[in-house]
Amino acid sequence: MPANLTPEYKQAEQAYRLARQPREQLECLKEMLRVIPKHKGTERLQADIKSRIRELTLESAGHGKAAHRGPSHAVHPEGAAQLCLIGPPGAGKSSLHAQLTGSRSEVGPYPHPTQLPIPAMLPFEDIAFQLVDLPPVSVEFMQPGLTDLLRVTDGVLLVVDLSAPDCTEQLVLILQRLAEARIILSERWPGQASSPGASEEPAPADPFSVQLPTLLLANKTDLASPEDAAVLEDLLGVRFPALATSATRGRGLAAIGPFLFSALGVVRVYTKAPGKPVDQNRPFTMRRGDTVLDVALRVHPDLARTFKFARIWGSGKFSGQQVGADHPVADADVVELHA
Ligand SMILES: Nc1nc2c(ncn2[C@@H]2O[C@H](COP(=O)(O)OP(=O)(O)OP(=O)(O)O)[C@@H](O)[C@H]2O)c(=O)[nH]1
Ligand SMILES: [Mg+2]
């Protein structure tokens, strides 16, 4: 039976998708429940909303899932974006993490799997991405706390061992496992134009599922034989953008930072106070499509409230051009905010 959701409901659902804090999410869920059309076609969705409300209420009261999950999996995001390394046991996640970030993430011959998320920074030019090394995901087991972390992350580096004969099957099983937890790994990255002829992305029907942009890392290419090249082709056909890597030889690693920068649509904005020199050291990392007002909001909420105009060097028509709140920023712009 069709759900026939009303614009009012869709608006409430959109607010929920944007909410990041549990309290805010809870308010949004209650609103969704209040306005959802009550008929047979929405019964499943009503039940989902109620159970999410129950979960959040229990969690905010200090018990619920989080309490019997042992150590928290929450990782405070830092840098231009947070990316999680996901893959089967022994694929080389920790080795790649150590090579890319200089972390001492425990690398061990199987069976010494990573136990807890380990964040560290991957530098790229004058910014950095946060890479989170994670425990493995396998057919037998995925730590339940992982899904909470994945729900709020910006993207995934999906690592597979190209030399493993069953690497394609492993990949399929991991995707299934995550989909059961309503985490959908997607080939779409926010900064990339969709391929020509591709239809507009339909809004996911399930408000409790998340879509994470995913880069496939086909690792251990140093062990792979020529026949494995065919497997790589196969993997590439899995639809994700992909890079061939070797953590031990360092192969393919230099391409990861540039890929993330471009695929996430990162835009660096350098701010200056009126009459002062530009702060060249610490760009604000925005996203393509963000405006001067978004920059003001990032610098300080008060500045966004009292914002009058900005001067901009870079994407403006001429240097120091005066622009309004909705002027979109471009990479390497210098922005002087006036309030
Ligand atoms: N030859 C080769 N060996 C690699 C490569 N990457 C990782 N390894 C080896 O594979 C084994 C497992 O590597 P880890 O980095 O611990 O793998 P992991 O994905 O973090 O493993 P879990 O934490 O158990 O999921 C180690 O012996 C690594 O030295 C690679 O590119 N080439
Ligand atoms: Mg590991």
Side-chain angles (χ1 to χ4, degrees):
M1 182 176 291
N4 289 330
L5 297 167
T6 58
E8 196 185 13
Y9 172 80
K10 286 179 185 157
Q11 199 182 342
E13 192 181 288
Q14 180 62 10
Y16 169 77
R17 283 186 211 278
L18 295 174
R20 281 285 167 265
Q21 300 301 324
R23 259 184 60 184
E24 202 187 333
Q25 289 178 337
L26 202 52
E27 288 313 306
C28 295
L29 286 162
K30 287 178 182 164
E31 179 62 11
M32 283 160 67
L33 197 58
R34 196 179 68 78
V35 300
I36 193 170
K38 310 283 189 303
H39 58 71
K40 204 139 185 70
T42 64
E43 269 173 5
R44 166 99 203 274
L45 191 50
Q46 289 184 54
D48 280 348
I49 297 170
K50 284 179 192 159
S51 74
R52 190 74 193 113
I53 289 178
R54 208 155 37 236
E55 273 172 28
L56 277 175
T57 311
L58 284 172
E59 275 169 35
S60 63
H63 26 267
K65 283 192 293 181
H68 31 112
R69 274 179 181 180
S72 164
H73 279 71
V75 176
H76 182 72
E78 276 180 58
Q82 183 189 70
L83 290 308
C84 285
L85 285 142
I86 296 185
K93 298 176 292 300
S94 299
S95 305
L96 287 166
H97 190 257
Q99 289 292 324
L100 289 165
T101 68
S103 77
R104 305 242 181 82
S105 207
E106 180 102 353
V107 175
Y110 191 79
H112 286 294
T114 306
Q115 303 287 351
L116 274 177
I118 298 170
M121 304 307 287
L122 161 69
F124 173 71
E125 295 186 354
D126 55 354
I127 61 168
F129 299 99
Q130 185 185 47
L131 301 190
V132 185
D133 188 18
L134 291 184
V137 176
S138 69
V139 199
E140 295 80 32
F141 187 66
M142 171 167 75
Q143 286 188 9
L146 280 190
T147 52
D148 290 346
L149 172 57
L150 292 173
R151 288 193 165 276
V152 293
T153 203
D154 296 308
V156 165
L157 304 182
L158 180 60
V159 183
V160 295
D161 175 353
L162 189 60
S163 71
D166 60 345
C167 69
T168 310
E169 287 85 345
Q170 283 182 345
L171 194 63
V172 171
L173 291 168
I174 287 177
L175 296 182
Q176 264 172 17
R177 177 118 219 179
L178 290 168
E180 281 160 21
R182 294 175 164 187
I183 289 165
I184 315 297
L185 301 194
S186 163
E187 74 280 21
R188 287 169 186 271
W189 285 76
Q192 287 180 334
S194 46
S195 49
S199 55
E200 270 300 288
E201 179 154 21
D206 174 2
F208 303 109
S209 78
V210 289
Q211 306 236 358
L212 295 175
T214 298
L215 171 66
L216 182 70
L217 298 180
N219 192 39
K220 304 200 190 181
T221 48
D222 56 294
L223 298 181
S225 62
E227 301 91 77
D228 295 324
V231 178
L232 176 61
E233 295 278 281
D234 223 23
L235 286 175
L236 293 174
V238 168
R239 76 200 152 90
F240 300 111
L243 291 172
T245 61
S246 164
T248 45
R249 303 265 170 87
R251 176 169 175 222
L253 305 188
I256 296 174
F259 174 88
L260 294 175
F261 184 82
S262 139
L264 287 162
V266 177
V267 164
R268 289 166 296 186
V269 173
Y270 301 82
T271 53
K272 78 187 272 307
K276 297 264 172 61
V278 186
D279 184 355
Q280 290 283 10
N281 294 321
R282 209 177 53 98
F284 287 88
T285 51
M286 313 300 295
R287 293 290 191 272
R288 214 167 290 152
D290 280 351
T291 63
V292 163
L293 188 65
D294 294 317
V295 177
L297 197 60
R298 186 76 80 74
V299 177
H300 200 283
D302 284 348
L303 200 51
R305 242 182 340 98
T306 58
F307 176 86
K308 288 213 184 71
F309 66 92
R311 291 192 188 286
I312 194 161
W313 288 258
S315 67
K317 285 205 177 61
F318 55 87
S319 276
Q321 186 183 2
Q322 185 169 324
V323 295
D326 46 14
H327 180 87
V329 287
D331 189 42
D333 275 355
V334 171
V335 173
E336 182 181 270
L337 297 160
H338 291 258

